[in-house]
Amino acid sequence: MQNQDEIILIKIGKKIQEIRLAKNLTQKDIAFALDVEISQITRIERGKINTSILNILKIIDALDVSKEEFFAELEI
Amino acid sequence: MQNQDEIILIKIGKKIQEIRLAKNLTQKDIAFALDVEISQITRIERGKINTSILNILKIIDALDVSKEEFFAELEI
Protein backbone atom coordinates (compact mmCIF):
# COMPACT_ATOMS: atom_id res chain seq x y z
CA MET A 1 0.00 0.00 0.00
CA GLN A 2 1.33 3.43 -0.92
CA ASN A 3 1.88 5.84 1.91
CA GLN A 4 0.37 9.32 1.97
CA ASP A 5 3.55 11.00 0.74
CA GLU A 6 3.81 8.69 -2.29
CA ILE A 7 0.16 9.33 -3.16
CA ILE A 8 0.68 13.11 -3.03
CA LEU A 9 3.84 12.96 -5.18
CA ILE A 10 2.05 10.80 -7.75
CA LYS A 11 -0.87 13.28 -7.86
CA ILE A 12 1.53 16.20 -8.33
CA GLY A 13 3.36 14.31 -11.10
CA LYS A 14 0.12 13.41 -12.89
CA LYS A 15 -1.10 17.01 -12.70
CA ILE A 16 2.19 18.27 -14.19
CA GLN A 17 1.95 15.72 -17.02
CA GLU A 18 -1.74 16.48 -17.64
CA ILE A 19 -1.13 20.23 -18.00
CA ARG A 20 2.06 19.69 -20.03
CA LEU A 21 0.26 17.46 -22.55
CA ALA A 22 -2.75 19.79 -22.71
CA LYS A 23 -0.33 22.55 -23.71
CA ASN A 24 1.56 20.37 -26.21
CA LEU A 25 4.78 20.75 -24.30
CA THR A 26 7.40 18.02 -24.11
CA GLN A 27 9.38 16.84 -21.11
CA LYS A 28 12.38 18.26 -22.98
CA ASP A 29 10.75 21.72 -22.94
CA ILE A 30 10.28 21.53 -19.16
CA ALA A 31 13.77 20.06 -18.59
CA PHE A 32 15.26 22.90 -20.65
CA ALA A 33 13.35 25.52 -18.61
CA LEU A 34 14.73 24.06 -15.38
CA ASP A 35 18.15 23.24 -16.82
CA VAL A 36 17.84 19.63 -15.64
CA GLU A 37 17.96 16.24 -17.35
CA ILE A 38 14.79 15.00 -19.06
CA SER A 39 14.99 11.90 -16.86
CA GLN A 40 14.44 14.10 -13.79
CA ILE A 41 11.21 15.46 -15.29
CA THR A 42 10.18 11.89 -16.11
CA ARG A 43 10.74 10.83 -12.48
CA ILE A 44 8.92 13.90 -11.13
CA GLU A 45 5.92 13.14 -13.37
CA ARG A 46 5.92 9.55 -12.07
CA GLY A 47 5.95 10.78 -8.49
CA LYS A 48 9.30 9.11 -7.88
CA ILE A 49 11.11 12.22 -6.58
CA ASN A 50 10.18 14.55 -3.73
CA THR A 51 11.64 17.46 -5.62
CA SER A 52 12.30 20.91 -4.24
CA ILE A 53 9.80 23.74 -3.93
CA LEU A 54 11.89 25.82 -6.36
CA ASN A 55 11.75 23.06 -8.98
CA ILE A 56 7.97 22.78 -8.59
CA LEU A 57 7.54 26.55 -8.93
CA LYS A 58 9.78 26.59 -12.02
CA ILE A 59 7.79 23.72 -13.56
CA ILE A 60 4.55 25.61 -12.90
CA ASP A 61 6.04 28.69 -14.58
CA ALA A 62 7.21 26.59 -17.55
CA LEU A 63 3.65 25.20 -17.84
CA ASP A 64 2.40 28.80 -17.91
CA VAL A 65 -0.32 28.28 -15.31
CA SER A 66 -0.78 30.26 -12.12
CA LYS A 67 0.40 28.70 -8.88
CA GLU A 68 -3.05 29.09 -7.37
CA GLU A 69 -4.59 27.35 -10.39
CA PHE A 70 -2.10 24.46 -10.19
CA PHE A 71 -2.67 23.84 -6.47
CA ALA A 72 -6.42 24.44 -6.68
CA GLU A 73 -6.74 21.64 -9.26
CA LEU A 74 -4.59 19.36 -7.17
CA GLU A 75 -6.92 17.39 -4.89
CA ILE A 76 -4.55 16.63 -2.04
CA MET B 1 23.06 40.77 -4.89
CA GLN B 2 20.68 37.89 -4.16
CA ASN B 3 19.79 35.68 -7.06
CA GLN B 4 16.21 34.98 -8.07
CA ASP B 5 16.08 31.62 -6.26
CA GLU B 6 17.24 33.16 -2.98
CA ILE B 7 14.63 35.92 -3.26
CA ILE B 8 11.85 33.37 -3.82
CA LEU B 9 12.95 31.21 -0.88
CA ILE B 10 13.09 34.26 1.40
CA LYS B 11 9.57 35.29 0.30
CA ILE B 12 8.26 31.77 0.98
CA GLY B 13 9.94 31.75 4.39
CA LYS B 14 8.54 35.16 5.32
CA LYS B 15 5.04 34.14 4.24
CA ILE B 16 5.26 30.97 6.40
CA GLN B 17 6.42 33.01 9.39
CA GLU B 18 3.78 35.70 8.83
CA ILE B 19 0.91 33.17 8.77
CA ARG B 20 2.39 31.18 11.66
CA LEU B 21 2.61 34.26 13.90
CA ALA B 22 -0.87 35.45 12.85
CA LYS B 23 -2.18 32.09 14.05
CA ASN B 24 -0.15 32.15 17.28
CA LEU B 25 1.69 29.01 16.32
CA THR B 26 5.29 28.36 17.29
CA GLN B 27 8.11 26.94 15.19
CA LYS B 28 7.92 23.99 17.58
CA ASP B 29 4.28 23.39 16.56
CA ILE B 30 5.27 23.29 12.88
CA ALA B 31 8.38 21.18 13.53
CA PHE B 32 6.24 18.69 15.48
CA ALA B 33 3.71 18.48 12.62
CA LEU B 34 6.49 17.69 10.16
CA ASP B 35 8.49 15.56 12.61
CA VAL B 36 11.61 17.63 11.95
CA GLU B 37 13.97 19.69 14.12
CA ILE B 38 12.90 23.23 15.06
CA SER B 39 16.15 24.46 13.49
CA GLN B 40 14.93 23.21 10.10
CA ILE B 41 11.78 25.33 10.39
CA THR B 42 13.95 28.29 11.42
CA ARG B 43 16.13 27.85 8.32
CA ILE B 44 13.07 27.44 6.06
CA GLU B 45 11.54 30.65 7.44
CA ARG B 46 14.84 32.45 6.77
CA GLY B 47 14.86 31.17 3.19
CA LYS B 48 18.08 29.30 3.81
CA ILE B 49 16.81 25.89 2.62
CA ASN B 50 15.25 24.93 -0.71
CA THR B 51 13.07 22.40 1.05
CA SER B 52 10.98 19.73 -0.61
CA ILE B 53 7.51 20.16 -2.03
CA LEU B 54 6.17 17.65 0.54
CA ASN B 55 7.61 19.70 3.40
CA ILE B 56 6.04 22.89 2.03
CA LEU B 57 2.65 21.19 1.65
CA LYS B 58 2.88 19.81 5.20
CA ILE B 59 3.80 23.26 6.53
CA ILE B 60 0.81 24.77 4.71
CA ASP B 61 -1.43 22.07 6.25
CA ALA B 62 0.03 22.75 9.70
CA LEU B 63 -0.70 26.46 9.20
CA ASP B 64 -4.30 25.51 8.36
CA VAL B 65 -4.50 27.62 5.21
CA SER B 66 -5.46 26.41 1.75
CA LYS B 67 -2.68 25.83 -0.75
CA GLU B 68 -4.30 28.19 -3.21
CA GLU B 69 -4.51 30.88 -0.52
CA PHE B 70 -0.86 30.41 0.44
CA PHE B 71 0.43 30.65 -3.14
CA ALA B 72 -2.02 33.42 -4.10
CA GLU B 73 -0.63 35.64 -1.31
CA LEU B 74 2.92 34.82 -2.32
CA GLU B 75 3.99 37.48 -4.84
CA ILE B 76 6.59 35.51 -6.78
Side-chain angles (χ1 to χ4, degrees):
Chain A
M1 201 198 81
Q2 285 160 335
N3 70 35
Q4 188 58 18
D5 285 353
E6 287 168 356
I7 293 167
I8 289 172
L9 290 177
I10 288 167
K11 282 188 174 181
I12 290 171
K14 276 185 179 165
K15 178 54 64 179
I16 288 170
Q17 184 182 53
E18 181 192 306
I19 297 171
R20 176 175 64 74
L21 294 174
K23 296 203 168 204
N24 295 313
L25 292 167
T26 63
Q27 288 186 339
K28 189 176 178 184
D29 296 326
I30 308 300
F32 183 78
L34 269 70
D35 192 22
V36 299
E37 297 294 322
I38 295 176
S39 57
Q40 188 167 348
I41 304 302
T42 306
R43 287 199 304 270
I44 289 171
E45 287 193 353
R46 287 197 188 133
K48 299 295 182 197
I49 314 179
N50 179 18
T51 194
S52 71
I53 179 63
L54 281 179
N55 273 348
I56 289 292
L57 294 176
K58 286 174 186 175
I59 289 172
I60 292 172
D61 283 346
L63 293 173
D64 195 26
V65 289
S66 79
K67 295 164 189 66
E68 305 89 277
E69 200 179 326
F70 181 84
F71 285 102
E73 288 184 28
L74 207 54
E75 290 131 22
I76 47 173
Chain B
M1 202 196 79
Q2 284 160 335
N3 69 35
Q4 188 57 18
D5 285 352
E6 287 167 353
I7 292 166
I8 289 171
L9 291 178
I10 288 168
K11 282 187 173 182
I12 290 171
K14 276 186 179 165
K15 178 54 65 179
I16 289 170
Q17 184 182 54
E18 181 192 300
I19 297 171
R20 177 174 65 75
L21 293 174
K23 298 204 166 202
N24 294 315
L25 293 167
T26 64
Q27 287 185 340
K28 189 176 177 183
D29 297 325
I30 308 301
F32 183 78
L34 270 71
D35 191 22
V36 299
E37 297 293 321
I38 295 176
S39 57
Q40 187 167 350
I41 304 302
T42 305
R43 288 199 303 272
I44 290 171
E45 287 193 352
R46 288 200 188 126
K48 298 294 183 199
I49 313 179
N50 179 17
T51 193
S52 71
I53 179 64
L54 281 180
N55 272 349
I56 289 292
L57 293 176
K58 287 175 185 174
I59 289 172
I60 291 172
D61 282 347
L63 293 173
D64 195 27
V65 290
S66 78
K67 297 165 189 64
E68 305 89 276
E69 199 182 326
F70 180 85
F71 285 102
E73 287 184 27
L74 207 54
E75 288 129 25
I76 49 173

